[in-house]
Amino acid sequence: MSERRVFSGIQPTAGSFQLGNYLGAIRHWVRLQETYQAFYCVVDLHSLTVPQDPAELRTATMTAYAQILAAGVDPARSVPFVQSHVAEHAQLTWVLQGLTGFGEASRMTQFKDKSTRGGAESASVGLFTYPMLMAADILLYRTHAVPVGEDQRQHLELTRDLAQRFNSRFGDTFVVPEAHIVKETAKILDLQDPTAKMSKSQPGGCVFLLDPPKVIAKKIRSAVTDSETEVRFDPAAKPGVSNLLTILAALTARDVETVAKAYQGSGYGALKADAADAVLAFAEPFAARVRELLDDPGELARVMADGAARAREVAAPVLATAYQRVGLVPAG
Ligand code: ATP
Ligand code: LTN
C-alpha cells in the first residue's frame, strides 16, 4: 500500500447526495482508494455553520455515511468516518484560525456567496471560519491529494498557504496538499440553468440520487438545452447539451466526443432519454444499497466507530506535534 494519502469530505446537509457530488467527487474517491491510503469524512461540523435542525442533521449524517459506502467506498480499503467523532479536527482549526488573515478569509468566494444569500448580517462566524476547519481536516492526515469539484479550488489554495505558513514559522509539520480536480466532471451544471453549477440549494435543476426514479427521469428529460437541434460538445455555446453529454459520457465510461458523435442527426430527445437511463442505471441500485445499509443502524454505527478510531490514530499524533511546535505545553 502506498504511503501517499487522500482526504476528502462531504457535508450531510440534505437527505440525498446530488449527481454533481457523485460525478465531481465521490466517484473519484472510490477510484483513489485503490492506490492511496484514503480518508473520507462526513463533515457534520461544517453543517453547523448554517442554521440546522438537530433531528435532520442526525438523519442526514447517517444517510450521508450510508451513501459513501453505497457508492463504493470500502471500509476494508479506506477510512470512512464522521468529522465530529475525531475531536482533533476542531482543535487544529483553532490553531489555523490564528494563522489566517482576516482579509484572506474575507476573499473566499463561497463565504461571499453564502453570506450574501441570507443577508450578510445573519451569516455566522462559523461560516467565515469554515475554510480553516476544512484545512484542519486535510492537514491532520498529512494529505497529498484532495479529490473535489471545481468549487473547492480556492479553499484548497488557502489550505496550501496555511500549511506552508505553519511549516515556515514552526518547522516542517504538514504535507502541502494538491487538489485533485478531474476537469471533465469538475462542474456538473444545473439542468434548468446550465450557467450555474448543480447544487442542492437549487433543487429544480438538481438530480438527487435518492429521489424516486420517475422524478429523476423527468428532471433529465426536461433539461434546458437550446433552440438548435444539433448535438455537439461545445460548453460555451451549448452548455445544456454539453452538460448532458458530460453526464452520459461519465456514467458510461466513454469520452464526450464519442458520445456526441453517436447522436449526430438524432436530436435532443434521444440524448435526454439515454442520459436519464444512464443516471437511473446508477441511481436505482445505489438507492437500494443505501436502504439496506440504513436498515441495519447497529452495523452502520459499528463501521463508523471503527473508522473514527482509525482516523484518530493518525490525527492525534499530528495534532500533538502541531501543539508542541506552536509552544503549547503538553498536559503530561
Ligand atoms: P451543494 O452546492 O449541492 O450544496 P456542496 O458543494 O455543498 O454542494 P458538498 O457536500 O459540500 O456539496 O460537496 C461534496 C463534493 O461535491 C465537493 O467535492 C464538491 O466540490 C463536489 N460538487 C458539488 N457540486 C458539484 C457539481 N455541480 N459538479 C461537480 N462537483 C460538485
Ligand atoms: N468544503 C467542502 C467539504 C469539505 C471538504 C473537506 C472537502 C469539508 N472538508 C476536506 C475536501 C477536503 C464542500 O463544501 N464541498
Side-chain angles (χ1 to χ4, degrees), residues 191-192 212-223 276:
L191 295 174
Q192 287 302 311
K214 271 195 190 139
V215 174
I216 294 179
K218 185 159 178 241
K219 274 191 181 160
I220 296 170
R221 288 212 201 89
S222 47

Side-chain angles (χ1 to χ4, degrees), residues 8-11 13 18 20-21 24-25 114 130 147-152 185-189 197-201:
S8 197
I10 184 156
Q11 293 198 64
T13 36
Q18 43 103 341
N21 297 149
K114 291 198 177 174
Y130 175 116
V148 283
E150 182 61 39
D151 58 331
Q152 296 303 310
T185 49
K187 192 173 172 187
I188 301 298
L189 303 174
K197 89 162 185 123
M198 184 177 284
S199 165
K200 295 179 274 235
S201 53

Side-chain angles (χ1 to χ4, degrees), residues 69 90 118 157 176 182 221 293:
L69 302 189
E157 280 305 318
V176 180
V182 178
R221 288 212 201 89
L293 288 161

Side-chain angles (χ1 to χ4, degrees), residues 7-11 21 25 29 39 41-43 46 83 89 110 114 130-131 133-139 143 145-149 151-152 155-156 159 197 200:
F7 183 100
S8 197
I10 184 156
Q11 293 198 64
N21 297 149
W29 298 12
F39 296 82
C41 187
V42 176
V43 294
H46 276 108
Q83 189 184 34
H89 290 244
Q110 182 170 307
K114 291 198 177 174
Y130 175 116
L133 176 57
M134 174 162 166
D137 295 342
I138 296 166
L139 299 181
T143 301
V146 184
V148 283
D151 58 331
Q152 296 303 310
H155 288 159
L156 248 295
T159 304
K197 89 162 185 123
K200 295 179 274 235

Side-chain angles (χ1 to χ4, degrees), residues 22-44:
Y22 177 66
L23 293 179
I26 295 174
R27 200 166 57 109
H28 306 299
W29 298 12
V30 175
R31 184 170 47 79
L32 291 167
Q33 70 184 346
E34 306 296 336
T35 47
Y36 283 81
Q37 272 185 32
F39 296 82
Y40 297 131
C41 187
V42 176
V43 294
D44 54 349

